Amino acid sequence: MSHLWRNLIRSDLPSDLLDSMEFAVFGLGDSGYERFNWAAKKLQRRLENLGAREILARGDADDQDYRAVEGALTPWIESLFNVLDDLYPGTREVEFIPSTELPPPRARLQITTKKSATGRLLEESQLEGVAVTLTKNSRITAEGWYQDVRHIEFKADHNLE
């Protein structure tokens, strides 16, 4: 049990201890377990019992959801930013990219194919002006799974750090 939690659950704490605190809780869980998101629920309840004010309904991620955590987290974060903008207007220093848009790429990959001396096809890529060779491209997720997550490795002729 953490030091923070041990202090929060002390019975001698006054019920208005956190009356100037605002909070939002997002729980990570798996509905396959009996105590689904139990820690998040318990933290939310304890903060409220100590006088803190919840500014956004608790978010509950379920690992059983086909979208995993992102299914609940993405809309919850958007709601959190909206609530924070309403509570503290003009405090945001940067504009956030909407979830419907992709962020700009940090690197661009251009695939070219050429034959080796033995006639084998080689895939070579250009990454920020550095020639790299694809050495590994293997699927990590199960074949029937809806997501195709891959382990990809490249080899460069020199250190890219």
Side-chain angles (χ1 to χ4, degrees), residues 34-122:
E34 186 177 322
R35 291 181 164 185
F36 172 63
N37 276 333
W38 178 77
K41 292 172 183 176
K42 192 167 180 153
L43 176 62
Q44 174 195 20
R45 208 170 22 253
R46 186 58 180 151
L47 292 174
E48 287 174 335
N49 289 342
L50 294 174
R53 185 174 76 89
E54 184 177 48
I55 60 171
L56 180 63
R58 185 189 69 245
D60 290 322
D62 184 1
D63 204 39
Q64 296 290 324
D65 187 306
Y66 77 94
R67 296 163 297 175
V69 172
E70 289 81 13
L73 182 60
T74 301
W76 187 86
I77 286 177
E78 287 178 4
S79 297
L80 177 63
F81 283 135
N82 291 332
V83 166
L84 292 173
D85 277 345
D86 291 344
L87 289 173
Y88 308 102
T91 57
R92 190 188 295 191
E93 293 180 13
V94 295
E95 279 302 310
F96 291 96
I97 298 171
S99 63
T100 55
E101 292 180 26
L102 291 174
R106 293 195 292 170
R108 293 194 186 277
L109 213 52
Q110 180 181 358
I111 308 291
T112 57
T113 330
K114 66 179 187 180
K115 290 189 178 188
S116 70
T118 61
R120 196 173 126 236
L121 283 179
L122 298 174

